Amino acid sequence: MFLTLGTDLAGAGAPASDFGFLLHKNPARPQAIDVTGGSAHVFYPEATDERCTAAVLLEIDPIGLVRSGRGKAAEGFTLGQYVNDRPYAASSLLAVALGKLFRTAMNGRCDARPELATRPIPLDVHVPALPCNGGAELAERLFAPLGWTVDARPVPLDPEIPAWGDSRYVDLRLTGVLRLADALNHLYVMLPVLDDAKHYWVGSDEVDKLVRAGEGWLAAHPDKDLISHRYLAHRRYLADAALERLAEADGLELADETTDEGSVSLAVERRTTVAGVLRELGARRIADIGCGEGALAGELLKDPMIGEVIATDVSARALVAAKRRLHYDDLPDRQRDRLTFLQSSVTYADERLAGLDAVVLMEVVEHVDPPRLPALAHAVFRTACPAAVVVTTPNSEYNVRFPSLPAGIFRHPDHRFEWTRPEFGAWAGEVADRYGYTVEFRPVGAVDPEVGPPTQLALFRREEAR
């Protein structure tokens, strides 16, 4: 498989051959590295003051790929692990090779030409054979918002027999004025996304890779959901974690939850609001039920007055991801002793959560099927019976303020429902009356005079604990 990346550095005040400094690859010396199932080569078909082009040639040995455990057989076709398009078409194999060959350039560092590394320069990219599950139109959708001019032409199955139609491959050419680091990160992410396949197992470490490569551009991409799900092999819990982290890193919220101010992520504001309520309560022993990737647990650990944080989730994978995100194994003993992870369902009674100062259900109830809500209330308010319960949930009335959210669609595909303020108030009031709590409501996010805040919060306090 083959890829070229070229520039003329027009208007940059530097000879085009300085491109070699940016890539950290000498135009006068071809280089090669070993990669999974083969080798990757970098050489320069041209390197003059006017024009410089770097070429990446990836040679894949199908037998070597299978022996490494990375080859996959097509369903019903045993020889598919040996006879396939991996040696000829751009894929995650090429993305990995780019990451190894140009790691320093992808990080935006160039000690020899630091001023060029930080500046947009004219670039053109050519990928002659790119598997594109979605056709040329998808390539346009994914690259155009990033500043590229896209020329994606379907490759015919057989040029001599037009009646056979087009193959699933496109001949892709990109031109634009971008930072080299951004261009390389775009390719690193988009090649496996367009192919919609990876040659290796996708785990939580891939979230770190996506967040790192997508910093500064992916959170604002109109197709970030599609990109994240495809890059992470359609593992929803990984994609959700990646999107939340990208939103936080870029100071944005997910497209379906962007606040009017646009400066503070609603996820961050929600988390800090909940932490503030817990400080106000003086809670020392707290359970974060449905902790996901541990964002709230991490926030609570920052408060030295909190002595114990119990993070629970029904998903064992989510707990592993939370430990990884919080660097649990590397925490000092004193910090690690304050944090406990438990696999537990919010709809089942769990005596391990009994008698705490506070229990938090942050964006959890809307993921529970409505017939299971009484079981949730019994497990939290009767069995656990904490001194206080903090519940946050989307305010569905506010959904009309999200331009990217079609009418009638929930903010998240896993939401079973979304409540209006009266609906949330009715549920919370009934629960409080049944289990001996009082309840008050607070907004999270800027309050719209017509539709209220984007997130609604209920603070329950056990009457005998007041």
Side-chain angles (χ1 to χ4, degrees):
M1 65 187 75
F2 193 72
L3 175 148
T4 61
L5 181 63
T7 184
D8 57 13
L9 290 183
S17 55
D18 278 1
F19 196 44
F21 288 106
L22 295 181
L23 290 171
H24 297 266
K25 296 291 180 288
N26 188 342
R29 184 167 62 88
Q31 299 181 47
I33 62 169
D34 293 331
V35 295
T36 301
S39 57
H41 306 261
V42 180
F43 56 93
Y44 289 77
E46 55 183 346
T48 67
D49 289 349
E50 292 75 30
R51 174 77 187 171
C52 188
T53 300
V56 175
L57 174 64
L58 184 57
E59 293 186 302
I60 294 297
D61 173 14
I63 296 176
L65 191 63
V66 172
R67 286 175 176 169
S68 71
R70 303 300 178 90
K72 293 182 179 180
E75 185 177 353
F77 181 36
T78 303
L79 290 179
Q81 56 188 330
Y82 299 101
V83 183
N84 53 53
D85 65 355
R86 300 298 89 174
Y88 314 108
S91 65
S92 61
L93 291 163
L94 181 55
V96 170
L98 291 175
K100 290 185 175 181
L101 288 167
F102 304 126
R103 180 172 300 150
T104 304
M106 288 174 68
N107 290 332
R109 205 183 88 233
C110 179
D111 296 337
R113 299 291 187 275
E115 71 288 348
L116 278 180
T118 60
R119 292 170 55 185
I121 60 174
L123 295 168
D124 57 79
V125 177
H126 184 206
V127 187
L130 174 62
C132 199
N133 184 8
E137 296 79 9
L138 182 60
E140 173 79 25
R141 270 177 53 193
L142 296 190
F143 280 108
L146 302 174
W148 294 103
T149 298
V150 183
D151 181 5
R153 302 185 182 186
V155 176
L157 281 170
D158 189 331
E160 303 300 323
I161 311 178
W164 283 4
D166 295 328
S167 69
R168 72 186 190 97
Y169 306 93
V170 298
D171 183 341
L172 178 69
R173 294 180 184 271
L174 305 172
T175 56
V177 180
L178 299 91
R179 285 194 324 134
L180 176 62
D182 293 333
L184 291 171
N185 281 299
H186 296 166
L187 292 169
Y188 180 80
V189 172
M190 296 303 190
L191 292 179
V193 165
L194 288 167
D195 187 18
D196 200 13
K198 282 201 169 183
H199 68 279
Y200 55 87
W201 171 255
V202 173
S204 58
D205 57 328
E206 291 297 294
V207 175
D208 297 334
K209 295 178 184 178
L210 180 60
V211 170
R212 186 165 54 247
E215 184 178 357
W217 60 270
L218 182 51
H221 197 290
D223 278 304
K224 61 179 173 293
D225 290 332
L226 172 68
I227 294 168
S228 299
H229 280 80
R230 283 195 173 196
Y231 186 88
L232 295 165
H234 299 277
R235 288 172 169 79
R236 176 180 289 177
Y237 78 101
L238 293 179
D240 290 347
L243 288 166
E244 181 180 354
R245 287 176 57 184
L246 285 164
E248 294 173 9
D250 285 17
L252 300 170
E253 183 55 39
L254 305 186
D256 58 352
E257 293 187 342
T258 302
T259 59
D260 290 337
E261 305 90 62
S263 58
V264 178
S265 160
L266 182 55
V268 173
E269 187 165 2
R270 182 188 305 124
R271 188 163 65 245
T272 54
T273 299
V274 169
V277 170
L278 294 171
R279 282 194 298 271
E280 174 188 326
L281 294 170
R284 298 292 180 262
R285 301 178 63 235
I286 301 166
D288 176 15
I289 296 181
C291 66
E293 267 220 340
L296 177 61
E299 184 73 24
L300 297 179
L301 287 178
K302 297 176 183 178
D303 187 344
M305 299 304 294
I306 294 176
E308 181 180 6
V309 177
I310 302 173
T312 82
D313 204 284
V314 70
S315 168
R317 289 182 175 180
L319 294 175
V320 170
K323 286 186 176 182
R324 183 182 183 88
R325 177 178 182 174
L326 298 176
H327 304 286
Y328 178 75
D329 293 333
D330 298 325
L331 289 174
D333 291 344
R334 187 172 180 180
Q335 283 285 79
R336 193 163 56 243
D337 291 344
R338 297 170 61 209
L339 178 60
T340 302
F341 289 97
L342 297 177
Q343 186 172 9
S344 181
S345 171
V346 70
T347 59
Y348 289 92
D350 191 335
E351 297 289 348
R352 296 174 296 177
L353 303 178
L356 299 174
D357 295 326
V359 163
V360 178
L361 300 172
M362 190 174 75
E363 307 300 285
V364 170
V365 293
E366 65 273 10
H367 293 269
V368 177
D369 289 317
R372 299 293 295 161
L373 288 175
L376 176 152
H378 186 273
V380 172
F381 292 89
R382 174 63 55 81
T383 303
C385 195
V389 179
V390 180
V391 178
T392 75
T393 191
N395 168 22
S396 66
E397 297 168 78
Y398 195 91
N399 289 354
V400 296
R401 296 294 186 256
F402 299 130
S404 62
L405 188 64
I409 302 299
F410 292 153
R411 298 186 197 179
H412 190 284
D414 190 52
H415 285 183
R416 301 318 199 242
F417 60 87
E418 289 179 357
W419 276 324
T420 63
R421 285 169 292 172
E423 288 170 338
F424 184 44
W427 175 83
E430 180 183 347
V431 167
D433 290 342
R434 173 170 299 193
Y435 294 103
Y437 284 76
T438 62
V439 62
E440 63 178 279
F441 301 93
R442 302 184 183 185
V444 179
V447 178
D448 185 286
E450 295 180 4
V451 297
T455 295
Q456 44 193 340
L457 181 151
L459 170 57
F460 298 83
R461 303 190 215 208
R462 198 173 65 231
E463 291 182 335
E464 62 189 59
R466 288 176 62 83

